[in-house]
């Protein structure tokens, strides 16, 4: 039986995502009401620029006073899509204090200070849902948080930033350099005018923190995530990966240690075999590969950003929160009971692909192999190719070494020792190898 009194929704932010949320609430009002068991009413929209025309939204609902909106007391759910740390954090906690549950897409805040938000939600008996914070429209967080609640997740490996995937895909498919691929991504609207958050891995790192926290039932903050961007990836790296039967992706990797006593979270470019499901993820799409003890390997794939996809995730959370509201219950809150420590990147066991410029003379390979042995790093494969200098003479060679798995600190120490060899003219590239 449907109740007649509407559930009132306050919208904080009315940009690309917020305006799409408002549009879907209006155009699918009857369906949403039927699914929830009560109609939804957009009760207010907080914005920075009230003079901007917002099609389909009653101007009387527009306000610049977000604090007053969340303090009204008659608001059932606050949808926060303004992003950033403040004033979003204060607005969300204030909403809880005044009786509203919250749906958020704010990955930066959740990764930076999710503990404060979860504690406030629990204190006041409210919901905090945030499916849209990671991977856009892809149903990912709720399956991790609810569907796999009875399982043990050991690894989460994914492409969680569409901009960087587009750039790397273009570099691989067309042979474009990094700058050229970035320009194309910007022209198509995939990259912001300032792409730093994407290309330097900050966006993916925030998402990795959220994923690791849910997957391993422990608290992982943004500062715990090792982060490397893709600005140093070259066309030569892409070509070298291709020769190995691999492609290059910017990956978010969250792992439980083999002994189960710690976890790691990291973001960095990596070579993955073309046979791996993530290798076929093209353009600006996202995909996340989950490895669980009982469920095995699961793949989540779809559009990871943009107004409609993100709004879809927001509306899914809104329906769930409103159902809870009608039923007088709340959904699952933070699960951090394991309190596992987060290991440093140096303790992570991984593989390296190292390309060296070396002198083309006898004994060089033996010297290089000795350095690897001294650091307890085992070599998997070696490829050496002579190279002519500007006068058409020999004297230099390219040496490519792929290691077996070893602690990252040992691999880093190996690279530093290689740089000191007289026969090594330079380290052309270093990249981790994942997905095997």
């Amino acid at each position: 039986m449907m109740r007649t009194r509407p559930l009132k929704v306050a919208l904080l932010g009315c940009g690309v995502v917020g305006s799409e949320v408002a549009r879907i609430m209006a155009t699918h009002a009857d369906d949403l009401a039927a699914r929830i068991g009560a109609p939804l009413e957009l009760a207010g929209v907080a914005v920075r620029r009230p003079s901007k025309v917002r099609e389909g939204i009653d101007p009387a609902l527009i306000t610049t006073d977000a604090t007053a909106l969340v303090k009204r007391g008659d608001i059932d759910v606050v949808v926060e899509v303004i992003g950033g740390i403040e004033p979003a954090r204060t607005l969300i906690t204030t909403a809880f204090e005044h009786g509203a549950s919250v749906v958020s897409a704010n990955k930066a805040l959740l990764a930076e200070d999710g503990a404060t938000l979860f504690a406030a939600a629990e204190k006041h008996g409210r919901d905090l849902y945030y499916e849209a914070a990671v991977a856009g429209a892809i149903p990912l967080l709720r399956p991790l948080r609810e569907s796999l609640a009875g399982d043990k997740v050991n690894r989460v490996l994914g492409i969680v930033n569409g901009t960087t995937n587009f750039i790397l895909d273009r570099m691989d498919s067309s042979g474009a350099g990094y700058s050229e691929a970035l320009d194309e991504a910007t022209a198509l609207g995939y990259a912001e005018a300032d792409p730093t958050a994407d290309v330097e891995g900050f966006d993916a790192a925030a998402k990795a923190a959220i994923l690791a926290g849910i997957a391993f039932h422990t608290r992982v903050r943004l500062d715990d995530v090792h982060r490397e961007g893709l600005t140093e990836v070259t066309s030569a790296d892409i070509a070298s990966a291709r020769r190995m039967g691999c492609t290059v992706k910017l990956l978010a990797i969250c792992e439980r240690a083999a002994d189960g006593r710690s976890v790691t979270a990291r973001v960095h470019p990596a070579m993955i075999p073309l046979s791996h499901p993530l290798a076929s993820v093209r353009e600006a799409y996202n995909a996340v590969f989950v490895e669980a003890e009982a469920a095995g390997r699961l793949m989540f794939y779809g559009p990871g950003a943009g107004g409609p996809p993100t709004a879809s995730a927001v509306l899914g959370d809104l329906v769930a929160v409103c159902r809870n509201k009608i039923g007088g219950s709340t959904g699952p809150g933070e699960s951090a009971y394991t309190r596992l420590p987060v290991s440093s990147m140096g303790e992570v066991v991984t593989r390296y692909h190292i390309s060296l410029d070396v002198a083309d003379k006898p004994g060089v390979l033996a010297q290089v192999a000795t350095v690897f042995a001294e650091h307890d790093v085992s070599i998997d494969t070696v490829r050496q190719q002579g190279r002519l200098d500007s006068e058409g003479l020999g004297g230099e060679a390219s040496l490519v070494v792929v290691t077996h798995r070893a602690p990252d600190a040992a691999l880093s120490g190996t690279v530093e020792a290689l740089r000191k060899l007289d026969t090594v003219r330079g380290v052309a590239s270093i990249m981790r190898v994942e997905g095997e």
Side-chain angles (χ1 to χ4, degrees), residues 215-226:
F216 307 133
H217 302 278
T218 197
R219 192 165 288 163
V220 180
R221 298 181 69 251
L222 181 59
D223 290 345
D224 296 322
V225 182
H226 173 84

PDB file of all heavy atoms in Angstrom, residues 215-226:
ATOM      1  N   ALA A 215      35.901  -4.100   1.063  1.00  0.00           N
ATOM      2  CA  ALA A 215      36.272  -5.483   0.751  1.00  0.00           C
ATOM      3  C   ALA A 215      36.890  -6.207   1.936  1.00  0.00           C
ATOM      4  O   ALA A 215      36.626  -7.399   2.156  1.00  0.00           O
ATOM      5  CB  ALA A 215      37.247  -5.497  -0.427  1.00  0.00           C
ATOM      6  N   PHE A 216      37.701  -5.485   2.729  1.00  0.00           N
ATOM      7  CA  PHE A 216      38.455  -6.143   3.787  1.00  0.00           C
ATOM      8  C   PHE A 216      37.955  -5.798   5.193  1.00  0.00           C
ATOM      9  O   PHE A 216      38.580  -6.159   6.183  1.00  0.00           O
ATOM     10  CB  PHE A 216      39.941  -5.785   3.657  1.00  0.00           C
ATOM     11  CG  PHE A 216      40.501  -6.048   2.286  1.00  0.00           C
ATOM     12  CD1 PHE A 216      41.274  -5.099   1.644  1.00  0.00           C
ATOM     13  CD2 PHE A 216      40.233  -7.237   1.626  1.00  0.00           C
ATOM     14  CE1 PHE A 216      41.794  -5.331   0.380  1.00  0.00           C
ATOM     15  CE2 PHE A 216      40.739  -7.485   0.357  1.00  0.00           C
ATOM     16  CZ  PHE A 216      41.521  -6.528  -0.271  1.00  0.00           C
ATOM     17  N   HIS A 217      36.827  -5.075   5.264  1.00  0.00           N
ATOM     18  CA  HIS A 217      36.218  -4.740   6.560  1.00  0.00           C
ATOM     19  C   HIS A 217      37.237  -4.081   7.497  1.00  0.00           C
ATOM     20  O   HIS A 217      37.368  -4.434   8.662  1.00  0.00           O
ATOM     21  CB  HIS A 217      35.625  -5.990   7.213  1.00  0.00           C
ATOM     22  CG  HIS A 217      34.604  -6.676   6.369  1.00  0.00           C
ATOM     23  ND1 HIS A 217      33.289  -6.255   6.313  1.00  0.00           N
ATOM     24  CD2 HIS A 217      34.699  -7.719   5.506  1.00  0.00           C
ATOM     25  CE1 HIS A 217      32.622  -7.035   5.475  1.00  0.00           C
ATOM     26  NE2 HIS A 217      33.456  -7.918   4.965  1.00  0.00           N
ATOM     27  N   THR A 218      37.954  -3.138   6.942  1.00  0.00           N
ATOM     28  CA  THR A 218      38.942  -2.406   7.724  1.00  0.00           C
ATOM     29  C   THR A 218      38.964  -0.965   7.250  1.00  0.00           C
ATOM     30  O   THR A 218      38.477  -0.644   6.158  1.00  0.00           O
ATOM     31  CB  THR A 218      40.332  -3.058   7.599  1.00  0.00           C
ATOM     32  OG1 THR A 218      41.178  -2.596   8.649  1.00  0.00           O
ATOM     33  CG2 THR A 218      40.980  -2.753   6.254  1.00  0.00           C
ATOM     34  N   ARG A 219      39.510  -0.083   8.032  1.00  0.00           N
ATOM     35  CA  ARG A 219      39.498   1.331   7.675  1.00  0.00           C
ATOM     36  C   ARG A 219      40.740   1.668   6.862  1.00  0.00           C
ATOM     37  O   ARG A 219      41.870   1.515   7.331  1.00  0.00           O
ATOM     38  CB  ARG A 219      39.425   2.185   8.940  1.00  0.00           C
ATOM     39  CG  ARG A 219      39.112   3.640   8.686  1.00  0.00           C
ATOM     40  CD  ARG A 219      38.699   4.328   9.972  1.00  0.00           C
ATOM     41  NE  ARG A 219      37.366   3.910  10.396  1.00  0.00           N
ATOM     42  CZ  ARG A 219      36.884   4.085  11.619  1.00  0.00           C
ATOM     43  NH1 ARG A 219      37.633   4.635  12.554  1.00  0.00           N
ATOM     44  NH2 ARG A 219      35.655   3.702  11.913  1.00  0.00           N
ATOM     45  N   VAL A 220      40.535   2.124   5.635  1.00  0.00           N
ATOM     46  CA  VAL A 220      41.628   2.515   4.749  1.00  0.00           C
ATOM     47  C   VAL A 220      41.385   3.954   4.308  1.00  0.00           C
ATOM     48  O   VAL A 220      40.335   4.263   3.751  1.00  0.00           O
ATOM     49  CB  VAL A 220      41.711   1.581   3.516  1.00  0.00           C
ATOM     50  CG1 VAL A 220      42.853   2.014   2.601  1.00  0.00           C
ATOM     51  CG2 VAL A 220      41.904   0.134   3.952  1.00  0.00           C
ATOM     52  N   ARG A 221      42.363   4.812   4.569  1.00  0.00           N
ATOM     53  CA  ARG A 221      42.248   6.225   4.191  1.00  0.00           C
ATOM     54  C   ARG A 221      43.058   6.498   2.936  1.00  0.00           C
ATOM     55  O   ARG A 221      43.921   5.707   2.535  1.00  0.00           O
ATOM     56  CB  ARG A 221      42.725   7.123   5.334  1.00  0.00           C
ATOM     57  CG  ARG A 221      41.908   6.995   6.611  1.00  0.00           C
ATOM     58  CD  ARG A 221      42.414   7.914   7.704  1.00  0.00           C
ATOM     59  NE  ARG A 221      42.172   9.331   7.381  1.00  0.00           N
ATOM     60  CZ  ARG A 221      43.121  10.200   7.056  1.00  0.00           C
ATOM     61  NH1 ARG A 221      44.385   9.811   6.974  1.00  0.00           N
ATOM     62  NH2 ARG A 221      42.811  11.459   6.810  1.00  0.00           N
ATOM     63  N   LEU A 222      42.800   7.653   2.352  1.00  0.00           N
ATOM     64  CA  LEU A 222      43.496   8.038   1.133  1.00  0.00           C
ATOM     65  C   LEU A 222      45.005   8.019   1.318  1.00  0.00           C
ATOM     66  O   LEU A 222      45.753   7.597   0.427  1.00  0.00           O
ATOM     67  CB  LEU A 222      43.028   9.429   0.697  1.00  0.00           C
ATOM     68  CG  LEU A 222      43.640  10.000  -0.583  1.00  0.00           C
ATOM     69  CD1 LEU A 222      43.353   9.089  -1.768  1.00  0.00           C
ATOM     70  CD2 LEU A 222      43.080  11.397  -0.852  1.00  0.00           C
ATOM     71  N   ASP A 223      45.481   8.456   2.476  1.00  0.00           N
ATOM     72  CA  ASP A 223      46.923   8.490   2.736  1.00  0.00           C
ATOM     73  C   ASP A 223      47.545   7.102   2.792  1.00  0.00           C
ATOM     74  O   ASP A 223      48.775   6.967   2.714  1.00  0.00           O
ATOM     75  CB  ASP A 223      47.207   9.224   4.058  1.00  0.00           C
ATOM     76  CG  ASP A 223      46.927  10.712   3.971  1.00  0.00           C
ATOM     77  OD1 ASP A 223      46.795  11.225   2.845  1.00  0.00           O
ATOM     78  OD2 ASP A 223      46.831  11.364   5.035  1.00  0.00           O
ATOM     79  N   ASP A 224      46.726   6.073   2.962  1.00  0.00           N
ATOM     80  CA  ASP A 224      47.236   4.703   3.015  1.00  0.00           C
ATOM     81  C   ASP A 224      47.486   4.119   1.624  1.00  0.00           C
ATOM     82  O   ASP A 224      48.088   3.045   1.510  1.00  0.00           O
ATOM     83  CB  ASP A 224      46.232   3.790   3.735  1.00  0.00           C
ATOM     84  CG  ASP A 224      46.033   4.162   5.189  1.00  0.00           C
ATOM     85  OD1 ASP A 224      47.021   4.534   5.843  1.00  0.00           O
ATOM     86  OD2 ASP A 224      44.878   4.082   5.668  1.00  0.00           O
ATOM     87  N   VAL A 225      46.996   4.790   0.598  1.00  0.00           N
ATOM     88  CA  VAL A 225      47.054   4.256  -0.763  1.00  0.00           C
ATOM     89  C   VAL A 225      48.306   4.746  -1.474  1.00  0.00           C
ATOM     90  O   VAL A 225      48.531   5.954  -1.601  1.00  0.00           O
ATOM     91  CB  VAL A 225      45.802   4.660  -1.572  1.00  0.00           C
ATOM     92  CG1 VAL A 225      45.855   4.057  -2.976  1.00  0.00           C
ATOM     93  CG2 VAL A 225      44.531   4.226  -0.848  1.00  0.00           C
ATOM     94  N   HIS A 226      49.120   3.815  -1.927  1.00  0.00           N
ATOM     95  CA  HIS A 226      50.275   4.175  -2.760  1.00  0.00           C
ATOM     96  C   HIS A 226      49.763   4.639  -4.115  1.00  0.00           C
ATOM     97  O   HIS A 226      48.919   3.986  -4.729  1.00  0.00           O
ATOM     98  CB  HIS A 226      51.201   2.974  -2.952  1.00  0.00           C
ATOM     99  CG  HIS A 226      52.317   3.221  -3.920  1.00  0.00           C
ATOM    100  ND1 HIS A 226      53.494   3.836  -3.550  1.00  0.00           N
ATOM    101  CD2 HIS A 226      52.420   2.960  -5.241  1.00  0.00           C
ATOM    102  CE1 HIS A 226      54.279   3.937  -4.608  1.00  0.00           C
ATOM    103  NE2 HIS A 226      53.657   3.414  -5.648  1.00  0.00           N
TER     104      HIS A 226
END
